Amino acid sequence: MMFFRRAEVTVRIAHRGLTLSVPDRDRLLDACDPDQRRRLQRCLGEAAADEPPWEVQWQKMPGDALEREDVVVTLHRDGVVVELTYAQRGTLAEWLVTRGATVGAGGRLGLLERRAKTPPAPVPPAKEILRQFVARQRRDAATITSLQAQLTALEARLAERGPAAGDAKFRRLKLEFSKRFHPDARPPGDAEREHRARVFQEFWPIVEEIERS
């Protein structure tokens, strides 16, 4: 003779407070899918002051991080499984009952902690932002002035040495300049990349003009 076990009724309840507790009969019925509600009523039986307790099965350990809708603990009784989830991000701080214990409606199960929000990065005051901008502009201007002087001096020396020697040295200068100031050598958003971009945009056309002359 064969016996068939009926499927359990599963009810999922999202918990929002910091203390997990066993839901009462009304809350279970409210959270149940409408097409399963009548089955749940039969499984729970008639409402009574001394309803049978639920068996506790923890799905998370104390200290575990919780994401939204993670199942923290399940409760089992008479063909009903209740999944208690946490509606926010946080941490399971403590078990108040052990795995396998039985707890009645309203009984406390565990304590939760909300995850602390990462504080936003402090925004520099307007004077500090202006100071940084002016310092960067001065550094860029000094770099460009220095490069202009070096190129002018090199151009004069190459003119004295003749075309063959000048071509090789100019190619080397062009390669070194590109390595040191091309913005693509730095990651996007990097302050040094912005500095390189300004210098490169200012100076590369001059390098190409000298090469064509």
Side-chain angles (χ1 to χ4, degrees), residues 85-158:
T85 70
Y86 192 35
Q88 305 178 45
R89 293 181 178 178
T91 303
L92 175 57
E94 182 182 354
W95 290 357
L96 298 180
V97 297
T98 59
R99 182 182 280 121
T102 55
V103 183
R108 300 200 312 162
L109 301 172
L111 301 179
L112 304 168
E113 292 178 352
R114 290 192 180 93
R115 186 173 302 171
K117 295 181 179 179
T118 304
V123 178
K127 287 185 178 179
E128 177 62 18
I129 295 175
L130 179 60
R131 187 194 67 78
Q132 293 176 5
F133 174 77
V134 172
R136 191 180 304 121
Q137 292 293 97
R138 287 175 177 171
R139 186 181 64 167
D140 292 347
T143 302
I144 291 171
T145 300
S146 174
L147 287 172
Q148 285 175 333
Q150 293 177 41
L151 272 181
T152 301
L154 179 62
E155 189 177 11
R157 289 199 301 271
L158 294 181

Side-chain angles (χ1 to χ4, degrees), residues 138-211:
R138 287 175 177 171
R139 186 181 64 167
D140 292 347
T143 302
I144 291 171
T145 300
S146 174
L147 287 172
Q148 285 175 333
Q150 293 177 41
L151 272 181
T152 301
L154 179 62
E155 189 177 11
R157 289 199 301 271
L158 294 181
E160 295 174 357
R161 296 183 183 182
D167 288 347
K169 287 183 177 291
F170 189 83
R171 283 196 299 271
R172 181 181 173 188
L173 171 67
K174 186 177 180 182
L175 175 62
E176 292 299 323
F177 177 80
S178 181
K179 281 168 38 177
R180 285 168 172 74
F181 291 99
H182 200 290
D184 289 348
R186 303 294 299 180
D190 184 66
E192 181 62 24
R193 181 186 177 98
E194 297 177 9
H195 167 69
R196 289 187 177 200
R198 284 190 289 271
V199 173
F200 200 82
Q201 290 170 4
E202 176 83 17
F203 229 96
W204 192 251
I206 299 175
V207 174
E208 292 184 328
E209 182 181 347
I210 294 174
E211 186 177 30

Side-chain angles (χ1 to χ4, degrees), residues 35-49:
D35 57 345
Q36 295 283 335
R37 193 166 296 158
R38 195 163 286 184
R39 274 193 62 201
L40 177 62
Q41 286 177 319
R42 288 198 297 268
C43 291
L44 294 177
E46 296 296 327

